[in-house]
Amino acid sequence: MIAYVIRRLLYCIPIVFGVLVVTFLLFNVIRGDVSMEYAGKNATPETIEEIREELGLNKPVILAWDSQFTHHLKQTLTFSARARDRELVIDKIKRGVPYSLAISVPVFFLLVTIGVSLALIVAFIRGTIGDFAIVIACIIGMSIPYLSYILFGQYFLAYKGNFGFPVFYQPYMSLAQSVILPIIIGVAARLGFQLRFYRTVMLDEMRADYVRTAFSKGLGTKTVLFKHVLKNALIPVITNVVLTIPYLILGSFLLERFFGIPGLGYLMLDAIGSRDFEVINALTFMVAILYVVFNVLTDVCYALVDPRVKLE
């Protein structure tokens, strides 16, 4: 197992290098010289030259030990670049992570728990009126734009309702009080898709011969569903769950933006709007690294839940 994990991690090295090359091409070569834009209209030549030196734009593009590419590698790998407001990018990321996790982690666990549990029940009662009604409800829920959920929740649950939810993030409120409504909206907006996906996975297993054999032996419904069906359906469930985790750190762009919550999603959209390439580059690289790491974790989980998967 250890050798397999080490080998998979070694395979990640060229992938990470490829990500660095792509981000270099996007944020250095294609972007061009942004020193005048960063310095402003009335900047002196000395100020512009200082910015060019800080961004490494006064050096050769490649083929030198202190080239722009080397500068890009150092700043990206260490997150030591500075944003347009001169603050270190790593400090901005550290400040936004708690807000993003406060929304994304509860949404993630609620979606997995509710989605898998309901999918098992719906798969068991397949073909009934209850199954038909839930499928229709899921389709309707998936058809409603995500933005509509946010606006509906802000107007009816926060502004018109007396539930104590703030319409926007208020610094004087506790973090938990500020993120309850975004969590509810995040779960409601995505539950339809998650339930449909998990229902399809569970139905494939419910039609298997071992399920009929288990019921014919007199095993209870709860035992068959949660001990046998869920265990054999874990491969696609793991794929969906683990590969979703990297995006948790970036939070929910729209939720953070519309509620004014200063998380990483808000930071990313703000950086795009202000053309802050250093922040965009750092967040892009961070998500890519997390995606690669959790991809390896997915392969390891496959072998743990299914002995037929060989670690070779």
Side-chain angles (χ1 to χ4, degrees):
M1 173 67 80
I2 295 177
Y4 173 77
V5 173
I6 293 174
R7 190 164 62 247
R8 290 289 289 116
L9 290 175
L10 290 176
Y11 290 159
C12 295
I13 293 176
I15 299 175
V16 173
F17 184 76
V19 171
L20 288 168
V21 171
V22 171
T23 53
F24 172 72
L25 293 174
L26 288 175
F27 298 110
N28 286 67
V29 179
I30 297 177
R31 177 192 65 179
D33 191 343
V34 292
S35 55
M36 293 185 66
E37 179 183 338
Y38 277 27
K41 293 181 179 178
N42 300 319
T44 62
E46 291 77 14
T47 303
I48 295 174
E49 189 57 31
E50 287 178 6
I51 294 175
R52 293 190 79 245
E53 183 175 359
E54 181 182 326
L55 296 177
L57 298 176
N58 58 344
K59 300 172 183 175
V61 178
I62 55 174
L63 302 177
W65 68 273
D66 61 343
S67 64
Q68 292 185 28
F69 183 62
T70 307
H71 183 80
H72 174 78
L73 291 183
K74 290 177 182 176
Q75 290 209 327
T76 304
L77 291 173
T78 59
F79 292 93
S80 59
R82 289 187 180 275
R84 294 189 69 161
D85 58 2
R86 316 309 302 154
E87 184 181 4
L88 284 173
V89 173
I90 187 64
D91 291 338
K92 287 179 175 288
I93 293 175
K94 287 179 180 176
R95 194 166 57 246
V97 165
Y99 293 99
S100 292
L101 292 182
I103 298 175
S104 302
V105 172
V107 170
F108 170 75
F109 282 106
L110 286 172
L111 281 176
V112 173
T113 305
I114 298 174
V116 172
S117 301
L118 282 180
L120 279 169
I121 297 172
V122 172
F124 180 71
I125 63 171
R126 63 189 182 281
T128 63
I129 295 177
D131 177 34
F132 182 74
I134 290 176
V135 171
I136 294 296
C138 289
I139 294 174
I140 294 174
M142 294 164 58
S143 304
I144 300 174
Y146 196 85
L147 187 59
S148 300
Y149 282 98
I150 297 176
L151 297 177
F152 179 89
Q154 282 185 315
Y155 185 76
F156 288 102
L157 299 181
Y159 181 67
K160 287 290 186 181
N162 295 317
F163 302 103
F165 299 131
V167 179
F168 301 106
Y169 170 73
Q170 302 294 339
Y172 62 84
M173 285 186 167
S174 67
L175 180 58
Q177 193 175 358
S178 300
V179 300
I180 288 178
L181 183 56
I183 290 172
I184 294 173
I185 293 173
V187 173
R190 300 172 188 167
L191 185 59
F193 171 79
Q194 295 290 330
L195 183 53
R196 286 275 292 167
F197 174 78
Y198 292 130
R199 177 183 176 274
T200 303
V201 173
M202 300 304 171
L203 278 178
D204 289 339
E205 291 298 325
M206 290 293 292
R207 298 190 183 99
D209 293 337
Y210 73 88
V211 176
R212 285 193 292 273
T213 303
F215 279 119
S216 66
K217 287 185 175 181
L219 294 179
T221 304
K222 184 178 178 181
T223 302
V224 174
L225 291 180
F226 288 93
K227 186 176 181 181
H228 297 285
V229 174
L230 181 59
K231 181 180 179 181
N232 286 282
L234 278 179
I235 292 290
V237 172
I238 287 174
T239 304
N240 184 56
V241 169
V242 178
L243 293 184
T244 305
I245 293 177
Y247 299 102
L248 295 181
I249 196 69
L250 207 55
S252 179
F253 291 94
L254 288 179
L255 281 175
E256 292 182 7
R257 190 67 179 179
F258 274 81
F259 281 92
I261 298 173
L264 294 183
Y266 187 97
L267 176 64
M268 185 66 153
L269 290 179
D270 193 50
I272 294 172
S274 60
R275 292 171 56 85
D276 197 334
F277 297 106
E278 305 304 324
V279 176
I280 299 172
N281 173 57
L283 291 175
T284 303
F285 179 71
M286 185 179 69
V287 173
I289 293 300
L290 289 174
Y291 191 84
V292 170
V293 171
F294 282 98
N295 209 358
V296 175
L297 183 61
T298 304
D299 291 342
V300 175
C301 289
Y302 286 163
L304 293 177
V305 301
D306 190 348
R308 294 171 297 180
V309 177
K310 302 294 184 182
L311 299 179
E312 295 176 355

